[in-house]
Amino acid sequence: MRLRALLETDALGLRLLGGDDELDRGVRGVMTTDLRDPSRYLSGGELVLTGLAWRRSAADSEPFVRILAGAGVAGLAAGEAELGDIPGDLIEACSRHRLPLFAVNESVAFATITEYVVRQVSGERAGDLAAVVDRHRRLMTSGPTGGGPEVVLDLLGSDLDLRAWVLSPTGRQIAGAGEPLPAGVGARLAGEHLAAIRTGRRGPHRTTVGSATYSLFPIRNTGRVAAPAARDVRESVLSDWLLAVEADAGDWPAARLDLLQGVTQLIAVERDRREAARTVRRRLAQEVLELVQTGAAPAEIAARLRVAAPVLLPGLGTAPHWQVVVARVDWGQDGTAGATEIEAGPVAQSLLEEILVDPAAPGADSADRIAVAHTGDEAIALVPLPAVPVDPADPQAPDVESTEAGLHADALLGSVRAPLSAGLADDGRLTLGVSAAVSSAEGLRGALEEARHARRVAAARPGRVCAAGHHELASHVLLLPFVPDDVRRAFTARLLDPLRDYDRRHRAELIPTLEAFLDCDGSWTRCATRLHLHVNTLRYRVGRIEQLTGRDLSRLEDKLDFFLALRMS
């Protein structure tokens, strides 16, 4: 708005005292101050309101006005309630610095002027932004790219003073303007958003993290590009993006809420465009997977990988090593497959594409080297691994099978377990298995079976989000999930229930002591140090464990029984 518009509003009670030729200055905001030096709070373009409490003598006017002019304020409005008429020294100082000066009638509250200016400025900014958003929407829908969501987020920041970020369902930042969200906040916001969606609450959803309040807007699949709009929220809840705005939208007017909804629709178009770009990689991965599953000759699989390399591995050419990751999402009250008619394969496919992206890598295109197919209810990813530098002259140099390079099951889910658990709620489960690295097409079939078997191990564990890796298939961990439940309960109850009952009655901490003793391989000294106990106290506790259970912790068989009971409990 212009300064001239203030004079034309009778309700404001403003009288111009100087600066007739500067009334076309734009007003970007309003600030009330009685500080002698308010420069730290000024960014330019403000209408400054003052009650003149800073003025002790005529000499104070010049430095005050000089500070305002240097900060680039639009104008100064001085109240008449404190001194009556506006002092001549202030009028002269404003004239010297070409700063428009208004007198505010004592019957008009500064709050009235502030409310009027804020309402006018916000309305104009929202109108300008809406026009830009509409223009940007036409650009993005008529061509291959319109600059991405960052352009719109920049406009939200510059025109409406709103900080905003586009987040994936795991909380990874896809786009943002300015500083990224603090570590962990994205995952927290994604979890709050998914929980709200699953309980049927309408957006925007508001939540507070630390001292900041955020409003969360869903960015839904438009159904124009990748797939029809979801009939059941569970079909899309684990793949849709969200817009997080650092503001409380609870008291926003309808016009601003409509504007933000328009922004989400614009970003949804960009999401659909990027989703469509993934279809080529998905199709190539599907072709390779079908060859592997049907037992095609390794040479045929290798040839298909070479043809697909420019798309699956842009910039890499070939992949010396591969890993296979298998994921499955099951819906139902008990997390079992077939409980609903939801197609689980596409859900798991979108989710696995997100999980395999480095959570620290911003942007939606960081998944360009991830090829995920789905068959039935499973999603299967072919993950290329970078070359492992090996010095052939070094006899100690390990081969790829013995290195720890590549993906690890627990690490994949570490930062995404909390938000995904919220999205799965009480009727969904995600299970994931990771194979060892293989160095040729011949190994892909074995890697696929290994990943599937690891996923079945994960599925036998409790919890909404579980994973298992190839290293667990060569230990007792492989056997434990397949022990019948009644045998498991009877075995653990016989060994551990007497200890739990004793701990409950005496707070003796026998179970933690047993766990630490076994973890220290039966070393009295190391275990006592870990538990911050005297060795004699430790010996007393172990003796009590043996007395209650009738077992001898100096015998390997009894140690093994306790170890397995703790693992199965």
Side-chain angles (χ1 to χ4, degrees), residues 274-292:
R274 299 187 186 190
E275 185 78 3
R278 289 183 175 182
T279 57
V280 175
R281 294 197 303 278
R282 288 173 171 175
R283 186 169 61 249
L284 291 173
Q286 197 77 37
E287 292 174 359
V288 174
L289 174 62
E290 289 175 359
L291 290 175
V292 171

Side-chain angles (χ1 to χ4, degrees), residues 7 21 37 71 79 109 117-119 124 140 145 170 181 201 221 240 294 303 343 353 422 434 461 464 485 493 513 535:
L7 284 175
D21 54 350
D37 181 4
V117 172
V118 169
R119 186 168 61 248
E124 290 177 4
M140 290 180 65
T145 180
T170 64
L181 284 168
R201 302 205 310 268
N221 181 357
D240 283 345
T294 56
E343 288 189 73
E353 286 171 336
V434 181
R461 295 173 175 168
R464 289 291 167 193
D485 287 343
T513 300
V535 172

Side-chain angles (χ1 to χ4, degrees), residues 198 234 331-335 421-429 464:
R198 289 306 314 275
R234 291 173 293 183
W331 298 105
Q333 290 302 317
D334 55 355
S421 295
L424 293 164
D426 58 357
D427 61 349
R429 287 199 76 203
R464 289 291 167 193

Side-chain angles (χ1 to χ4, degrees), residues 86-150:
I86 305 302
D89 47 88
L90 180 60
I91 297 174
E92 293 172 4
C94 288
S95 178
R96 282 193 297 272
H97 291 278
R98 302 180 62 82
L99 181 66
L101 175 63
F102 301 88
V104 182
N105 190 280
E106 61 180 349
S107 63
V108 178
F110 282 176
T112 302
I113 301 174
T114 299
E115 182 181 353
Y116 176 83
V117 172
V118 169
R119 186 168 61 248
Q120 295 298 315
V121 171
S122 297
E124 290 177 4
R125 287 181 180 176
D128 292 343
L129 181 59
V132 174
V133 166
D134 184 64
R135 183 167 64 254
H136 197 65
R137 178 185 292 111
R138 291 196 298 271
L139 284 172
M140 290 180 65
T141 54
S142 62
T145 180
E150 290 85 356

